[in-house]
Amino acid sequence: MPPPPALPTSFHRLAWSNLTAQSAEQIALAAAPIVAVLTLGVGEGETGLLQTALTAPFVLFAIPAGLLADRMPRRLLMAAAEAMRALALLAILVALAGGVLTLPLLGALGFAAVCGTVVFSVAAPALVPSLVAPTQLAPANARIELARTIAFACGPAVGGMLVGWIGGAPAFGCAAALSLVAALCLTGIAEPARAPVPRRHPLADLREGLAFVRHHPLLRPVFITQFIFNTAHFLLLAAFVPYAVHRLGLSASGVGTVLSMFGVGMVSGALLATRIMGRLPFGSVIGLGPVTGFAAALVMALTTLVPSPALAALSFFLLGAGPILWVISTTTLRQSVTPAALLGRVSAINILSYGARPLGSLLGAIVGSRYGADACLYLAALVFGLQALVILTSPVVTIARQPQPQPA
């Protein structure tokens, strides 16, 4: 069999911009709460408010970002978003260096920076199909996700070390520089021109995207599965740290080591994704993510009977490795079955599934406070089982090969 054709130069620019943009995001997200605690002296409740400000844009601005991504050149939209993020991070640097940074200002500027993340996350999957051939979608998405997982695994550690070694201002300066590099990479992409979009009310565009996902026999169960997965994942995370300390006997460094296995699993899954997708039916690869998530939850629940840190580490490894195959394969599915003119809005609707994360955290707080951490882990296993059931009983897992791309 001849080797697959090389990915084009424009895609490599997108991949590099993705790596630098995701690294900027992770460094800034790690630095912000550390600076809030060490420099501003805030407590747990205030850091919770800061985290709310840093996650709210995913719910508030995913849909507007999708509407823009379907109406203007996506590379320019992403470059502008990265430039906005760089300006917001530079403003934090200046305020911190000048001694005038406050928690509300940090929250507001962090909110603006994360808006850039949302735009990038929505527009990038919509841009990929215009840069690569249909047969290259899966390896291209694997490359994108590998960069994201590397940033996810290394960015928080780098951010923490930068703040500890040279201070908060240089950490935000490093993140801003990475965002500017991402913007420069994006401006050099040769994005094919799209047909002009007729002007109409944004609500009509939104209804069109929602109706497409709601009525599509493949995308609807994918969205439902992803929403349930996010709920279960953050339900488990809400209970894990106190459970790990009090029941598994882990120190702070031990907890960090176990949690880091999630990133190790993500990187491992991304590295193997193209090979796995070449050997298994397309629908089977999609089903692997939810099934592996359920297996991970069962392993974590088993630690209530066998309190083993090694089992907890295995659980987080599985939570990273399997679901990254889900991300790569379902992104390829969306890009294949969605008309090009709708890709931005459909990508934005997918991002809305992240809204289940605070729901899972809240559920974990309620169940954990009333019934204890064990109950949270058992409930998480049940919810993970539900998401696996949804996808396994859907037509998605019966797909033999990647669907043919849809016309614009």
Side-chain angles (χ1 to χ4, degrees), residues 142 145-146 148-149 152-153 229 233 258-274 276-277 280 284-297 312-330 384:
E145 287 305 314
L146 178 60
R148 186 176 73 89
T149 56
F152 186 91
F229 177 91
H233 188 191
V258 169
L259 290 174
S260 71
M261 294 304 295
F262 179 74
V264 173
M266 291 177 70
V267 172
S268 301
L271 286 171
L272 294 173
T274 302
I276 292 172
M277 294 181 74
L280 294 179
S284 297
V285 179
I286 292 177
L288 272 178
V291 170
T292 308
F294 180 44
L314 174 61
S315 175
F316 276 102
F317 179 86
L318 293 173
L319 272 176
I324 201 67
L325 294 174
W326 163 270
V327 172
I328 294 168
S329 56
T330 56
F384 271 111

Side-chain angles (χ1 to χ4, degrees), residues 7-400:
L7 293 166
T9 301
S10 286
F11 173 79
H12 288 299
R13 285 183 172 272
L14 176 61
W16 280 109
S17 74
N18 181 62
L19 177 60
T20 51
Q22 297 286 356
S23 298
E25 175 200 11
Q26 292 301 320
I27 290 172
L29 286 178
I34 297 174
V35 167
V37 172
L38 298 182
T39 303
L40 305 181
V42 305
E44 290 84 352
E46 291 150 308
T47 55
L49 292 175
L50 176 62
Q51 291 296 340
T52 300
L54 298 180
T55 54
F58 282 97
V59 176
L60 298 177
F61 290 108
I63 291 299
L67 294 174
L68 289 173
D70 284 340
R71 287 192 165 272
M72 63 180 293
R74 287 159 182 158
R75 66 180 180 88
L76 296 181
L77 175 63
M78 296 162 68
E82 283 305 303
M84 180 182 72
R85 175 168 33 198
L87 288 174
L89 295 174
L90 287 173
I92 296 175
L93 183 158
V94 171
L96 190 56
V100 297
L101 185 67
T102 63
L103 184 66
L105 181 58
L106 178 60
L109 292 172
F111 180 93
V114 175
C115 287
T117 300
V118 173
V119 172
F120 196 104
S121 299
V122 168
L127 178 59
V128 169
S130 66
L131 302 180
V132 304
T135 56
Q136 295 176 309
L137 281 176
N141 289 322
R143 182 79 60 84
I144 291 289
E145 287 305 314
L146 178 60
R148 186 176 73 89
T149 56
I150 290 173
F152 186 91
C154 301
V158 172
M161 287 189 294
L162 286 173
V163 174
W165 291 349
I166 57 178
F172 286 109
C174 176
L178 288 169
S179 282
L180 288 175
V181 171
L184 290 174
C185 289
L186 288 164
T187 56
I189 291 176
E191 179 182 0
R194 305 201 309 272
V197 179
R199 295 227 171 246
R200 58 179 181 172
H201 198 281
L203 287 179
D205 282 345
L206 175 58
R207 283 194 295 268
E208 184 181 17
L210 289 170
F212 183 80
V213 174
R214 186 173 68 249
H215 297 300
H216 199 284
L218 302 179
L219 296 186
R220 183 177 62 251
V222 164
F223 179 84
I224 294 171
T225 301
Q226 187 154 309
F227 189 92
I228 299 172
F229 177 91
N230 277 299
T231 302
H233 188 191
F234 278 74
L235 167 60
L236 187 152
L237 288 179
F240 178 72
V241 172
Y243 174 79
V245 172
H246 299 305
R247 291 289 302 278
L248 302 182
L250 292 175
S251 64
S253 60
V255 173
T257 300
V258 169
L259 290 174
S260 71
M261 294 304 295
F262 179 74
V264 173
M266 291 177 70
V267 172
S268 301
L271 286 171
L272 294 173
T274 302
R275 185 177 302 175
I276 292 172
M277 294 181 74
R279 294 186 176 181
L280 294 179
F282 189 78
S284 297
V285 179
I286 292 177
L288 272 178
V291 170
T292 308
F294 180 44
L298 291 177
V299 171
M300 185 63 74
L302 180 60
T303 64
T304 63
L305 302 175
V306 184
S308 165
L311 285 177
L314 174 61
S315 175
F316 276 102
F317 179 86
L318 293 173
L319 272 176
I324 201 67
L325 294 174
W326 163 270
V327 172
I328 294 168
S329 56
T330 56
T331 300
T332 303
L333 175 66
R334 275 195 307 277
Q335 292 164 338
S336 300
V337 303
T338 305
L342 279 172
L343 269 173
R345 280 163 284 173
V346 171
S347 179
I349 292 166
N350 176 68
I351 293 292
L352 283 181
S353 67
Y354 293 177
R357 294 177 175 183
L359 174 63
S361 298
L362 178 61
L363 187 59
I366 295 171
V367 174
S369 63
R370 291 190 177 184
Y371 305 106
D374 288 19
C376 282
L377 299 186
Y378 297 148
L379 180 59
L382 287 174
V383 181
F384 271 111
L386 177 61
Q387 54 91 44
L389 181 64
V390 169
I391 202 66
L392 291 178
T393 56
S394 76
V396 177
V397 294
T398 66
I399 305 172

